[in-house]
Amino acid sequence: MRVRSATSRSSGGRRARRLGAYLGVAALAAAAVVADVGGSAGQAQGQAPAPTKGPVGWDTYRNLDAMSQPRGNEQSLQFSSYDRTGGNNDGFEGTYSCLRTTERGCVIGEHEGPGEITSIWSTREPLGDVTATGNIVIELDGRTVLDAPLIDVVSGKLGAPFSWPLVGDANDTAGGVVIKVPMPYRESMRVTVQHNPYFYHLSYRAFPDAEGVRTFNPNEPAEDVLEQLRTFGVADPKGGPEGAPVRRSFDLAPGRATTVADLSGPAQINQLRVKLPQVVAAPQVVDDGRAFGAGGSSRFAMRVAPNNQGIRVIRRYDPQIADQVGSLHVNGRQVGEWRSGAAAPGSWGVQIIDVPAEVTAGRSSVDVENRFISSSLDFNEFRYDVHSLVDGEWVRTDVLDLGPGHPGEEAAHGYRIDNPVFAREKLVGRYPTRPEDVAAADEVLDKTRLRITFDGRTTVDAPIGEFFGTGLGEYDVRTMMSSVDPGLDGWYTAWWPMPFGKSAKVELVNTGGVPVTGATAEVTSAPTELAPGTGYFHATHHRGNTVPGEDWNFLTANGAGTFYGVSHSMRGLIPPGAQTRSNQPHSDTRSRAQAVNQRNYLEGDERFYVDGSREPAWHGTGTEDFYESGWYFRFGTTYSMPLAGNPSHEINGDGCRYDCTGAYRLLLNDAVPFRTGFVAGIEHGPVNDEPGDYGSTAYWYGGNASGRAPVLPPLPTRPPSPVPTPSAPPTAPPTSSVTPTRPVTPETTAPHTTGQDDGTGQVDVQQAVEDALNGHRTTG
């Protein structure tokens, strides 16, 4: 990806720069035109000017309610190692991985002007170990703010703010490394790595001005943000939920709909929950874990609700080891014993111990210890969940997923183990669930739709499963903005802020053939004041077969808005007897030995086009790379982080014909704003050539819930940065187009192409400025 300036990269950008000499007149003219659209001139003059950018630095995480606010003229851009020829050499040989080379090494990102580094991802062989990349050097405003081995940074060895989950290594993310620390700068940034990184993405925001921007301080630990992120999937990241809940229990026959809540505004939905007791958890789970032997123990801390009326501790273990007996101690008091019984190879074991309120009441965390008593071999543990009893209802308040694939999560919980005897990296086990129950559950999740209508406009219309990030069945999902607690009749919860001006209607619609029984839904909302230009929350669903030569379309939107991520369900349709392709991964030696690579659909790159540009603002290097993992999620290892994850992988069963992958990516810190339109998609295969049955739900904000148009800032006038030459220029013409492709035919019930018709006409500010200047010349 070439360096871009904060201005447009088209003729419109040159026009804006040419108008720089007339900015005084142009800005006034543009403001007058916008005022005519949004209301009377007097109303516009009484409004505070809209911000020129969204929250900066740590406020990106601290002020999540601002997600619905317009972002002025800021841009979200990306550098990456994608193959400039249109092929699949996205980093295997490092051909396009350096913008240029200096005495310090390989430059992977640079920008002149104010902005913010939002996200850095990388991987390399073997399986994401980036030791050989050497040091990463980050220079902001002419000062070095980071100079350390990349492997130490992503492993959390530097300490806050470079701590999990703001960073993650290849174990945390199943094959990639990430840095999610926001690093603002006022004048310039440059990122250099000592050696060629091979695969990488670097996302950044380009600001039109430096107002409110303070250069990143690496000595500011941001402990509150770390604590907020560490509660992902178990607590509202906004600090709430604020407001009054409306709850309804219901059954839902095929073809019927039910209204859960009918609300009046101006207000904002802060939490939405659904419980579907009839839905069984997906039977196959991939996990890693640990075990201790005689005389051993494990200790860790878990969060609980301070107003709890007791808690329950849930342990997942491998029952192929018979007669495991261990004692559970909470806050130094023995509260029960774990007893596994006879061996049960190939399955998962789950046990629950209730802890009385006198041990836990009034506390926000508890100390947990497990002690070995006896076993045929050892005492193993793969995961612990803690539920708190609050007002007579069980609510998940913490999760500790154990094993070599969770070093950050273990450290954050203070996990310690005495006399360890093994660390299992990957165990595939199943729960004893009937196939017919799994099929019925999958249909309920796929065919029961959540529909939300704000001020008469339906902007949310998606299957329950995919909306909450579990489109392939009921899997455990923990993201920053939503959660699925499988089993034990757990809640599906979403914390997206959903503002509206006059009314909101929340419905569930059964479009399938399986009756929904014993369900409960709850909506929590509170009155709020809507700033001018406040957008509606959208969840735009799309399902269908992939089309050769065309990107899978996440979203096509007209007008202004901000894209915040996607939940993606990929059902690969590559049969085992298919012919081997020449464009299978360069480094996957296994693909050369087998008939076909059935996960070759994951070789597709994401591509985002903003405001009509024919050049993508984002162009990635592979599907699992976009979901911040690597190497096909380490060849089938699932994982969860606050902003990206791969909660499900199915092969030849449980509703999956061949190979299926469920993943999510939230762009909270690297959101993509647009002013006139947006096209986001992803390839299916190296050159859009692999068949698949795909589903996706895009999360974004757009429209105008306030009914008042913001006073738009003038267009940026900063000249473009110089465009560097890649380390090795393309040697062949492109083999695939990088222009927006036509959308795949959508479902009639939920169009994925969204036209903004929210009562406020779209303003071409550049044209308005031109018209104003022409008028000035004529009358002057």
Side-chain angles (χ1 to χ4, degrees):
M1 181 71 53
R2 298 193 299 272
V3 168
R4 297 177 173 79
S5 70
T7 59
S8 171
R9 297 169 297 284
S10 64
S11 60
R14 293 192 294 273
R15 177 170 60 188
R17 294 193 292 277
R18 177 165 53 83
L19 295 177
Y22 303 96
L23 186 58
V25 174
L28 291 175
V33 172
V34 172
D36 288 343
V37 173
S40 69
Q43 289 174 324
Q45 291 171 359
Q47 299 173 6
T52 59
K53 63 185 75 68
V56 177
W58 296 117
D59 286 344
T60 306
Y61 293 113
R62 289 170 175 154
N63 186 14
L64 294 178
D65 283 314
M67 287 194 291
S68 62
Q69 302 305 308
R71 288 186 167 232
N73 286 323
E74 76 165 77
Q75 293 175 284
S76 175
L77 302 167
Q78 184 192 72
F79 298 99
S80 82
S81 57
Y82 78 95
D83 188 336
R84 271 62 167 173
T85 73
N88 196 37
N89 184 17
D90 293 321
F92 293 104
E93 298 171 8
T95 306
Y96 308 102
S97 302
C98 301
L99 302 178
R100 57 192 178 89
T101 301
T102 70
E103 69 282 356
R104 303 200 73 167
C106 169
V107 177
I108 61 172
E110 58 185 353
H111 174 230
E112 294 292 329
E116 177 177 303
I117 298 171
T118 56
S119 179
I120 300 173
W121 166 91
S122 185
T123 194
R124 64 185 302 149
E125 296 186 273
L127 292 179
D129 182 353
V130 296
T131 302
T133 302
N135 276 31
I136 181 170
V137 179
I138 299 180
E139 300 168 89
L140 304 178
D141 298 334
R143 181 169 63 93
T144 299
V145 299
L146 181 64
D147 185 352
L150 178 59
I151 188 65
D152 289 352
V153 177
V154 299
S155 299
K157 292 183 179 179
L158 274 62
F162 296 97
S163 297
W164 182 88
L166 283 168
V167 299
D169 67 11
N171 294 310
D172 294 305
T173 69
V177 303
V178 293
I179 301 174
K180 312 298 287 189
V181 175
M183 292 179 262
Y185 50 91
R186 295 178 60 84
E187 297 176 356
S188 65
M189 73 87 168
R190 180 168 58 195
V191 180
T192 307
V193 291
Q194 188 175 357
H195 304 297
N196 190 306
Y198 292 90
F199 297 87
Y200 88 95
H201 306 156
L202 188 154
S203 303
Y204 68 103
R205 300 161 68 192
F207 298 149
D209 56 61
E211 183 179 351
V213 178
R214 183 167 58 94
T215 305
F216 170 69
N217 177 7
N219 297 316
E220 182 180 352
E223 294 286 359
D224 62 316
V225 175
L226 282 167
E227 179 63 19
Q228 171 197 32
L229 287 168
R230 287 172 179 171
T231 63
F232 73 101
V234 297
D236 185 346
K238 306 187 301 299
E242 296 182 356
V246 175
R247 179 180 291 196
R248 174 144 186 245
S249 298
F250 60 92
D251 297 332
L252 196 57
R256 302 300 297 271
T258 186
T259 299
V260 175
D262 218 332
L263 309 171
S264 299
Q268 176 172 288
I269 294 174
N270 287 313
Q271 178 176 275
L272 187 154
R273 301 198 297 172
V274 177
K275 184 182 290 187
L276 299 169
Q278 76 189 89
V279 173
V280 298
Q284 179 169 294
V285 174
V286 180
D287 203 359
D288 58 333
R290 300 188 184 275
F292 51 85
S297 64
S298 66
R299 286 163 288 173
F300 48 91
M302 298 290 273
R303 297 177 187 85
V304 299
N307 59 336
N308 75 83
Q309 301 156 319
I311 68 170
R312 63 187 181 192
V313 182
I314 306 172
R315 168 191 172 223
R316 178 156 73 206
Y317 66 98
D318 175 11
Q320 70 176 316
I321 306 302
D323 302 323
Q324 300 175 53
V325 182
S327 58
L328 172 65
H329 301 253
V330 175
N331 295 332
R333 175 175 165 180
Q334 183 172 347
V335 295
E337 287 187 353
W338 306 109
R339 292 181 174 271
S340 69
S347 64
W348 286 111
V350 174
Q351 292 179 311
I352 304 170
I353 293 179
D354 291 330
V355 182
E358 61 262 26
V359 180
T360 62
R363 302 178 65 103
S364 58
S365 67
V366 294
D367 297 320
V368 179
E369 182 179 8
N370 298 290
R371 299 176 186 173
F372 183 97
I373 295 178
S374 63
S375 173
S376 63
L377 183 62
D378 54 42
F379 183 96
N380 65 65
E381 48 192 10
F382 283 73
R383 174 182 167 124
Y384 290 97
D385 287 54
V386 167
H387 288 196
S388 298
L389 184 62
V390 179
D391 296 329
E393 184 172 86
W394 292 106
V395 180
R396 183 166 68 171
T397 50
D398 208 355
V399 174
L400 171 56
D401 213 340
L402 296 168
H406 300 88
E409 192 162 347
E410 288 183 341
H413 286 84
Y415 179 78
R416 292 173 293 170
I417 184 169
D418 298 322
N419 191 25
V421 295
F422 83 69
R424 187 69 174 265
E425 292 188 355
K426 180 179 178 181
L427 180 64
V428 180
R430 294 182 66 83
Y431 291 109
T433 308
R434 298 188 311 166
E436 56 268 33
D437 292 338
V438 174
D442 286 355
E443 180 164 351
V444 169
L445 293 177
D446 187 45
K447 299 300 184 182
T448 304
R449 301 180 76 96
L450 172 68
R451 288 182 182 163
I452 308 181
T453 302
F454 298 110
D455 299 333
R457 303 170 184 89
T458 300
T459 65
V460 174
D461 190 346
I464 281 285
E466 202 167 76
F467 176 84
F468 288 100
T470 187
L472 296 179
E474 189 184 70
Y475 286 88
D476 182 87
V477 177
R478 287 183 294 148
T479 85
M480 187 89 165
M481 302 308 298
S482 65
S483 171
V484 172
D485 181 8
L488 295 175
D489 301 339
W491 288 100
Y492 304 178
T493 309
W495 296 290
W496 295 96
M498 305 181 193
F500 55 94
K502 296 179 181 179
S503 64
K505 184 178 182 180
V506 181
E507 299 175 281
L508 290 172
V509 184
N510 187 348
T511 66
V514 176
V516 176
T517 59
T520 304
E522 180 185 270
V523 178
T524 301
S525 64
T528 190
E529 182 177 348
L530 303 181
T534 297
Y536 294 106
F537 173 73
H538 293 65
T540 303
H541 173 65
H542 177 199
R543 173 77 185 270
N545 288 333
T546 58
V547 176
E550 297 183 357
D551 289 1
W552 172 260
N553 185 264
F554 289 146
L555 175 67
T556 296
N558 300 318
T562 309
F563 177 64
Y564 278 100
V566 64
S567 169
H568 191 186
S569 306
M570 296 161 273
R571 301 164 179 87
L573 296 178
I574 306 172
Q579 182 179 358
T580 304
R581 296 181 183 271
S582 61
N583 57 16
Q584 290 186 180
H586 299 189
S587 62
D588 188 358
T589 56
R590 300 181 312 169
S591 68
R592 303 189 187 107
Q594 64 184 21
V596 68
N597 172 17
Q598 289 187 280
R599 305 203 83 186
N600 207 43
Y601 62 90
L602 294 176
E603 292 298 319
D605 307 341
E606 83 276 8
R607 300 192 285 201
F608 300 165
Y609 302 87
V610 178
D611 297 339
S613 173
R614 295 178 65 84
E615 179 185 3
W618 285 42
H619 190 151
T621 60
T623 300
E624 78 272 33
D625 304 354
F626 173 62
Y627 295 110
E628 300 196 313
S629 182
W631 312 107
Y632 295 170
F633 304 100
R634 275 196 172 176
F635 305 110
T637 302
T638 57
Y639 88 98
S640 294
M641 289 278 276
L643 302 178
N646 163 224
S648 55
H649 178 218
E650 298 178 347
I651 303 174
N652 303 328
D654 301 328
C656 176
R657 184 177 180 185
Y658 297 125
D659 185 282
C660 303
T661 302
Y664 62 88
R665 173 78 185 273
L666 303 185
L667 307 177
L668 301 194
N669 58 323
D670 43 7
V672 185
F674 50 95
R675 291 286 287 268
T676 60
F678 182 62
V679 178
I682 194 166
E683 295 175 304
H684 46 96
V687 287
N688 276 328
D689 56 344
E690 295 293 6
D693 172 4
Y694 276 22
S696 60
T697 296
Y699 310 112
W700 60 290
Y701 288 85
N704 190 348
S706 70
R708 295 175 293 159
V711 179
L712 298 176
L715 292 172
T717 58
R718 181 176 297 278
S721 303
V723 178
T725 302
S727 55
T731 57
T735 58
S736 64
S737 171
V738 295
T739 59
T741 57
R742 69 174 178 83
V744 180
T745 303
E747 295 176 305
T748 57
T749 52
H752 71 285
T753 302
T754 304
Q756 297 278 29
D757 184 13
D758 295 312
T760 301
Q762 299 301 321
V763 180
D764 185 338
V765 179
Q766 291 177 328
Q767 187 61 51
V769 172
E770 285 278 18
D771 294 343
L773 286 174
N774 290 334
H776 176 71
R777 296 188 191 101
T778 302
T779 59

